[in-house]
Amino acid sequence: LHIQALINEGVEQVFCVCKSHREKKIVALGAIPIVYSDNITQIRNIILSKARYPILTAFEAVGSLDALNICLSLIESKGRIILFGGYNKDTTLAVDLNGLHYRQIQLIGTYHYTSNKFAKSLAFMSKNSFDWESMLTHTLSFERINEAPNILQNPSCVTLTITY
């Protein structure tokens, strides 16, 4: 939903750092997948090689300091980084405050994004300009909930709906 919200907002390129088994899902959502590795410099360079525009918005959705550092290294002046992923309690970050200040970077912590963005996403969804049914790929009865982790690992699984 957040990828689609960014696209609806006019963002022409959305990169998503993900694990390899999630690549097809990311493509199905309209983003450009970048397979995660422990080498932050490598990920940064891959994104920079593919970016056609300055990166003004970064959406950190995995709760990883490595991912946040990638965002900080990529974001252009006057850009914004949205922290959505959730971090463990007492997680701290050493950051170049001088760079944040003079580059005028916004760090936005959010839980479930903002109600305004959510409303925009709902409005976008109601336009029927995206085939939402294509995202509903797998259904599982509650009685079979133990099978969910295996199904989620399947590259063809974009979403898993649990019914009861």
Side-chain angles (χ1 to χ4, degrees), residues 4-5 22 30 42 52 67 76-77 89 100 106-107 133 140 145:
Q4 287 300 312
R22 300 247 186 239
Q42 180 184 24
R52 297 188 315 256
E76 293 286 325
S77 292
K89 186 177 180 182
L100 284 178
Q106 295 179 33
L107 272 174
E133 294 295 320
L140 187 66
I145 193 75

Side-chain angles (χ1 to χ4, degrees), residues 77-98:
S77 292
K78 299 184 181 180
R80 63 184 171 163
I81 299 172
I82 302 162
L83 305 175
F84 178 76
Y87 295 86
N88 293 327
K89 186 177 180 182
D90 300 323
T91 299
T92 59
L93 172 71
V95 65
D96 175 13
L97 292 176
N98 182 279

Side-chain angles (χ1 to χ4, degrees), residues 85-122:
Y87 295 86
N88 293 327
K89 186 177 180 182
D90 300 323
T91 299
T92 59
L93 172 71
V95 65
D96 175 13
L97 292 176
N98 182 279
L100 284 178
H101 173 78
Y102 285 105
R103 292 174 51 217
Q104 301 176 44
I105 304 299
Q106 295 179 33
L107 272 174
I108 303 166
T110 185
Y111 180 70
H112 290 146
Y113 218 58
T114 65
S115 57
N116 182 36
K117 295 290 184 202
F118 187 71
K120 285 182 180 181
S121 297
L122 290 177

Side-chain angles (χ1 to χ4, degrees), residues 6-67:
L6 290 170
I7 291 170
N8 186 49
E9 197 175 277
V11 176
E12 293 187 33
Q13 281 188 301
V14 177
F15 295 97
C16 184
V17 178
C18 61
K19 294 182 179 177
S20 61
H21 70 276
R22 300 247 186 239
E23 277 185 280
K24 290 181 182 178
K25 294 176 188 179
I26 300 305
V27 171
L29 293 170
I32 300 163
I34 307 295
V35 176
Y36 178 80
S37 79
D38 291 330
N39 187 334
I40 294 173
T41 303
Q42 180 184 24
I43 293 172
R44 181 184 184 283
N45 290 340
I46 291 169
I47 293 172
L48 286 175
S49 73
K50 295 180 180 218
R52 297 188 315 256
Y53 309 100
I55 298 173
L56 297 173
T57 301
F59 195 87
E60 197 290 296
V62 295
S64 157
L65 290 179
D66 286 343

